[in-house]
């Protein structure tokens, strides 16, 4: 069975262990997807997170802040990959403000990929603690609030989250 389920190509996975990370990577390579491997261990704050994301995603121009991260990671056109993207994030097994900040931007980014068309965008994260789940759920709830606004495009709203070892939110 494929780890990257392209019937749900816009999904955030929590609680991914090393064997499953390997399956995700193997599947992504077979599909021609570009893989970003992030290690968020030791990042001290949101500013450091924003700088790290800018470096890892090789933004085409200088930026600052997580708003810029949302905007640029939602596009990635400078890579020219039409087969999709897999983001692997490690270093989130322990509670941290950086981890909460990172997962809280993911529903917005993933939703933008989903409403933009057919290029898959999948995120796999090693952590799955209550704080991460809560931050992700809060961000998904905000996405649902925005989806109820009259000018919202069809398809906008919360994104699929899979918590490995049995639970989905």
């Amino acid at each position: 069975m494929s780890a990257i389920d392209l019937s749900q190509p816009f999904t955030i996975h929590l609680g991914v262990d090393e064997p499953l990370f390997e399956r995700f990577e193997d599947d992504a390579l077979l599909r021609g997807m570009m893989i970003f491997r992030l290690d968020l261990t030791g990042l001290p704050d949101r500013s450091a997170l924003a700088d790290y994301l800018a470096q890892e995603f090789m933004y085409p121009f200088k930026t600052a802040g997580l708003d810029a991260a949302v905007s640029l990671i939602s596009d990635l056109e400078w890579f020219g990959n039409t087969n999709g993207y897999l983001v692997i994030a490690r270093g989130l097994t322990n509670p941290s403000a950086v981890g909460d900040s990172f997962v809280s931007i993911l529903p917005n980014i993933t939703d933008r990929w989903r409403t933009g068309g057919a290029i898959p965008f999948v995120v796999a994260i090693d952590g799955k603690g209550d704080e991460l789940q809560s931050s992700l759920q809060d961000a998904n709830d905000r996405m649902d609030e925005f989806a109820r606004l009259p000018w919202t495009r069809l398809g906008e709203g919360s994104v699929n989250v899979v918590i490995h070892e049995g639970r989905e939110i």
Side-chain angles (χ1 to χ4, degrees):
M1 183 175 148
S2 175
I4 298 175
D5 179 3
L6 287 184
S7 68
Q8 297 180 341
F10 310 101
T11 301
I12 300 166
H13 297 264
L14 294 178
V16 177
D17 60 13
E18 285 305 316
L20 189 52
F21 273 136
E22 289 176 17
R23 285 185 48 215
F24 271 96
E25 287 196 41
D26 290 346
D27 287 354
L29 290 171
L30 285 173
R31 297 171 192 281
M33 296 172 77
M34 188 168 188
I35 302 171
F36 293 94
R37 295 169 187 88
L38 307 177
D39 185 352
L40 305 176
T41 305
L43 293 176
D45 56 32
R46 291 171 55 97
S47 178
L49 173 62
D51 291 345
Y52 178 75
L53 294 174
Q55 174 188 326
E56 293 300 307
F57 285 95
M58 297 178 261
Y59 297 167
F61 49 84
K62 188 163 176 58
T63 64
L66 291 178
D67 288 340
V70 169
S71 181
L72 288 164
I73 298 169
S74 298
D75 186 344
L76 302 177
E77 70 180 8
W78 57 95
F79 291 112
N81 186 316
T82 58
N83 295 319
Y85 299 92
L86 170 63
V87 177
I88 292 178
R90 290 182 172 90
L92 296 172
T93 56
N94 295 318
S96 73
V98 168
D100 292 344
S101 294
F102 178 70
V103 299
S104 71
I105 66 173
L106 293 176
N108 193 335
I109 293 168
T110 305
D111 180 62
R112 289 180 183 198
W113 280 101
R114 177 179 60 191
T115 58
I119 299 175
F121 185 83
V122 177
V123 181
I125 300 170
D126 60 357
K128 65 175 180 179
D130 291 341
E131 293 85 359
L132 286 182
Q133 290 182 42
S134 178
S135 294
L136 200 49
Q137 185 63 55
D138 289 347
N140 250 345
D141 290 346
R142 284 191 301 280
M143 295 301 297
D144 283 337
E145 288 174 26
F146 295 139
R148 289 189 287 274
L149 297 173
W151 56 82
T152 304
R153 293 183 298 180
L154 183 63
E156 291 180 336
S158 62
V159 297
N160 190 40
V161 176
V162 175
I163 301 173
H164 291 272
E165 297 181 351
R167 282 191 349 153
E168 264 191 48
I169 59 172

